[in-house]
Amino acid sequence: MDWMAPLAAIAAAYLLGSISFAVIVSRAFGLADPRSYGSGNPGATNVLRSGRKAAALLTLLLDAFKGVLPVLAVRGLAPELGEPLVAAVALAAFLGHLYPVFFGFQGGKGVATAAGAIFALNPVLGLATLASFAMVVGFTRFVSLGSMVAAVFAPFYQLLIWGPGPIFLALLAMAFLLIWRHRSNIAKLRAGTEGRLGQKSASSR
């Protein structure tokens, strides 16, 4: 039936997003579970607190890949399904990272997966969003703040330059969810206790 292919694509994107590479990579490197130290977030930034830059970089790349692959697959294999499905699979992969079925629906904050999806959706938008992130992190060394600022600017850039549509709506949903997932970081930023980029956690060893 006509609805089965789009549904299968969305489900596959969610399942791919549900793979927690932070946990898998940490196990492969003989590191502690990233959910057990630092922010408790299974993501590249928290893996970096272990002191193993290679593990953090690999986690970052694999998490971004989860956002890239579904978008490129739909565009390459079923371009006739159109922009709404492309936007839907990008959002599904992001939701999989946030609420992974394979890890008790306890996932990360989705920054790398969102970034991968944005670059796959529109490389120019991806570069603009990355520039916003880099500027904030460069000045403050707060990855959480840079992530939230970039999340807000992504749908703004999309709306301003390319106009409204399914991709704008998907980016807007990602922005709201990403900021919601950073609510503990917002509290720490206000209290002055948020960790800065490169800061190690003693309990990660």
Side-chain angles (χ1 to χ4, degrees), residues 149-164:
V149 170
V152 170
F153 272 86
F156 172 75
Y157 291 144
Q158 175 68 27
L159 182 63
L160 181 67
I161 302 172
W162 295 279

Side-chain angles (χ1 to χ4, degrees), residues 3-19 70 74 85 88-93 95-96 101-102:
W3 54 268
M4 291 188 67
L7 186 61
I10 292 169
Y14 170 76
L15 292 174
L16 177 63
S18 291
I19 301 172
V74 169
L85 182 59
V89 297
L91 181 58
L95 288 171
V101 66
F102 304 127

Side-chain angles (χ1 to χ4, degrees), residues 27-56:
R27 288 175 182 171
F29 276 75
L31 303 173
D33 190 315
R35 296 169 294 183
S36 68
Y37 63 84
S39 66
N41 177 59
T45 301
N46 205 37
V47 174
L48 184 61
R49 293 189 175 100
S50 71
R52 296 293 295 275
K53 294 180 180 179

Side-chain angles (χ1 to χ4, degrees), residues 62-78:
L62 290 172
D63 280 349
F65 175 75
K66 295 191 300 187
V68 171
L69 182 60
V71 173
L72 295 186
V74 169
R75 281 187 169 162
L77 299 176

